[in-house]
Amino acid sequence: MTETAAPRRIRRSELATPASNERMFAKAAASQADLVFLDLEDAVAPANREEARGKAVRAFNDYDWGTTVRALRMNGIDTRWAYGDVIEVLSGARENLDVIIVPKVTSARDVWWVDTLLTQVEGTLGITKPVRLEVLIEDVAGVANAEEIATSSSRLDALIFGAGDLSVSQHARVDTNFEPRDEYPGDFWHYARMKVLTAARIGGLLAIDAPYPDFRNAAGYERAARHAAALGFDGKWAIHPSQIEIANDVFSPSEDEIRRAKRNLEAYRDAQARGLGATSVDGQLVDAAHVKLAEAILAQVRL
C-alpha cells in the first residue's frame, strides 16, 4: 500500500482522561476535543485497572459525547490486562466505543493480535460497526518497524508518536517534559517523528504528535504543536483540557491559508482554460503540486 493521503477524518486534539477518575468524565465528554480516550494504562494504578473497565463502560454509555470520538487506551498486549480490556469494555459499551488505542506497539503482529480479538468479540456480540484502531509508536522496535505497522490492519486510523516510553527504550537523557537535558542541535526527536509521519502517510493514516507534560506552559505546547504541524502531523495529544483549544487552532488551516488556497486554485483553473499548465500568483509559481496542496487544505476545511 502506497497511499499518501490521510483518511477523511479529523484528529486535531486527542484528550487523555484516566478511566479510574469518574469526576473527569462529564468535562471530557463536553470538551471540544476531536477524540477523548479513557486511559486504562499508565494513568491508572495497576490495582485499579480491572475496576476502571466498568467505569469506562458507564462513561461511554451514560454521557452525551456529541461528535467527539470515544476511545479507550487498553493495556499493552504483553500484560495480563489486555484481553480483558478489549472483551469487557467492548461487551459493555458495544457501539458506544469507537476506537481502541494500542500502546507500545513494536510490530505488525501486535496489531494483528488486537484486530483478531476484536473480530471475534464483534462477531460473538453481533456488532456491525467495527472498532477502529490507533497505535502508539513508543519503542525503538516500533520506530524501526513503523512502515510495517502502518499497513498491518484495515482498522487503523492513526499512528501516534510517543516520546515518553521511547525515551526509556532509547536510553535518552531527557527531562520530565521529554526534552534533552543537555544542549542538542535541532529537534531531539526529529528522526522518530519523521519515521512515524512517513509510515502514517504510507499507510494512508493520520499522524498524531506526542503529549506535552508541562501543561501549565501554554506557549511551549503551542510551539511544539506548530513544529509538528509544520512537518505534516494532523494533531497532538492533550493531557489537560487547556491544551485542546490550542491544538484545534494550530492543526486547522488559518484564514490566510484558506484564502491562498482558493486563490491559487482559481488562478490555476483559469490558466488551464487558456491552455496553460502553470501560472503565477503574487509573483510565485502555481502549478499542479500547488493545486494538490490547495485541494488538501480545502478538504480539511470541509471536514
Side-chain angles (χ1 to χ4, degrees), residues 33-189:
D34 292 327
L35 176 148
V36 171
F37 68 92
L38 303 185
D39 189 7
L40 288 176
E41 198 209 17
D42 288 350
V44 180
N48 298 328
R49 290 180 183 178
E50 293 177 4
E51 178 189 3
R53 294 172 187 159
K55 294 180 179 180
V57 168
R58 289 191 292 275
F60 291 137
N61 291 341
D62 295 347
Y63 288 92
D64 180 3
W65 293 85
T67 60
T68 299
V69 176
R70 300 156 295 186
L72 177 86
R73 177 160 70 161
M74 61 180 288
N75 284 278
I77 68 165
D78 60 338
T79 72
R80 67 180 180 86
W81 299 287
Y83 80 97
D85 290 347
V86 174
I87 294 172
E88 186 173 333
V89 177
L90 182 54
S91 296
R94 300 179 72 94
E95 284 81 3
N96 291 329
L97 174 63
D98 302 312
V99 171
I100 287 180
I101 297 175
V102 189
K104 300 177 178 63
V105 170
T106 60
S107 69
R109 175 178 172 272
D110 298 348
V111 183
W112 173 87
W113 188 92
V114 179
D115 190 334
T116 300
L117 181 57
L118 280 171
T119 299
Q120 293 170 350
V121 178
E122 289 167 348
T124 299
L125 298 174
I127 294 174
T128 58
K129 186 193 76 171
V131 173
R132 307 297 298 170
L133 294 176
E134 298 189 4
V135 301
L136 272 157
I137 305 297
E138 50 184 343
D139 182 276
V140 292
V143 173
N145 297 323
E147 290 87 351
E148 168 196 312
I149 293 167
T151 56
S152 61
S153 170
S154 60
R155 292 181 186 266
L156 280 171
D157 280 349
L159 298 187
I160 306 164
F161 166 55
D165 282 287
L166 183 58
S167 300
V168 179
S169 177
Q170 188 172 303
H171 299 179
R173 301 182 67 179
V174 295
D175 60 21
T176 54
N177 209 43
F178 312 135
E179 295 175 347
R181 291 187 176 278
D182 299 310
E183 185 178 352
Y184 184 86
D187 176 12
F188 187 78
W189 295 112

Side-chain angles (χ1 to χ4, degrees), residues 139-296:
D139 182 276
V140 292
V143 173
N145 297 323
E147 290 87 351
E148 168 196 312
I149 293 167
T151 56
S152 61
S153 170
S154 60
R155 292 181 186 266
L156 280 171
D157 280 349
L159 298 187
I160 306 164
F161 166 55
D165 282 287
L166 183 58
S167 300
V168 179
S169 177
Q170 188 172 303
H171 299 179
R173 301 182 67 179
V174 295
D175 60 21
T176 54
N177 209 43
F178 312 135
E179 295 175 347
R181 291 187 176 278
D182 299 310
E183 185 178 352
Y184 184 86
D187 176 12
F188 187 78
W189 295 112
H190 184 74
Y191 171 75
R193 275 196 171 98
M194 286 306 300
K195 281 282 289 184
V196 172
L197 176 63
T198 301
R201 294 299 178 252
I202 290 172
L205 310 177
L206 296 170
I208 310 301
D209 193 40
Y212 192 87
D214 187 5
F215 62 87
R216 290 187 176 87
N217 184 358
Y221 181 83
E222 180 175 351
R223 183 168 56 250
R226 291 195 179 281
H227 184 181
L231 289 176
F233 277 78
D234 300 287
K236 188 172 179 63
W237 267 18
I239 65 163
H240 190 274
S242 64
Q243 296 177 332
I244 295 171
E245 184 177 355
I246 299 171
N248 286 349
D249 177 61
V250 169
F251 291 99
S252 297
S254 68
E255 292 299 322
D256 181 62
E257 287 176 307
I258 295 169
R259 283 194 297 270
R260 186 165 61 249
K262 290 179 177 179
R263 187 172 53 189
N264 287 352
L265 198 56
E266 182 179 349
Y268 184 80
R269 287 171 176 167
D270 179 66
Q272 274 193 318
R274 292 183 286 114
L276 301 175
T279 187
S280 65
V281 175
D282 296 334
Q284 296 185 354
L285 174 72
V286 174
D287 61 10
H290 295 89
V291 169
K292 292 177 183 177
L293 178 61
E295 289 174 339

